[in-house]
């Protein structure tokens, strides 16, 4: 099963700008929203150092990791290539 982990923080302005894109894509992709302050174990497990970060996980394996604000088409491309 494929999913995206979307790591963000409430204090992060770029995260606030990127969240609506991720919310709209959540209708067609499996996206788990992760608050880095509330989930330090997941942050450590996936080696997240900056937010926003998206991690594409396919069958339990990280297939892609991208930091920064992306366009909707960039997120789709990451999803489709993995």
């Amino acid at each position: 099963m494929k999913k995206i982990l979307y790591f963000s923080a409430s204090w992060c302005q770029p995260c606030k700008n990127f969240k609506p894109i991720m919310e709209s894509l959540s209708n067609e992709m499996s996206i788990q929203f992760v608050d880095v302050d509330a989930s330090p174990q997941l942050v450590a497990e996936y080696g997240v150092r900056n937010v926003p970060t998206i991690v594409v996980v396919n069958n339990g394996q990280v297939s892609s990791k991208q930091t920064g604000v992306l366009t909707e088409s960039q997120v789709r491309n990451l999803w489709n290539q993995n």
Side-chain angles (χ1 to χ4, degrees), residues 2-78:
K2 190 188 321 187
K3 68 179 176 179
I4 291 178
L5 300 174
Y6 170 58
F7 291 88
S8 65
S10 60
W11 44 263
C12 166
Q13 189 59 48
C15 299
K16 291 177 186 177
N17 296 339
F18 190 28
K19 188 173 182 179
I21 292 171
M22 296 305 289
E23 286 174 334
S24 72
L25 289 171
S26 69
N27 295 325
E28 58 191 83
M29 302 173 189
S30 175
I31 300 176
Q32 179 180 343
F33 292 81
V34 181
D35 182 317
V36 295
D37 295 322
S39 303
Q41 287 180 315
L42 278 177
V43 169
E45 180 180 342
Y46 289 97
V48 173
R49 300 194 182 275
N50 297 299
V51 288
T53 294
I54 63 171
V55 178
V56 181
V57 179
N58 197 354
N59 295 320
Q61 299 292 322
V62 173
S63 57
S64 184
K65 186 174 174 181
Q66 187 77 37
T67 300
V69 176
L70 304 176
T71 65
E72 186 175 315
S73 63
Q74 288 172 314
V75 176
R76 284 181 197 280
N77 287 341
L78 283 175

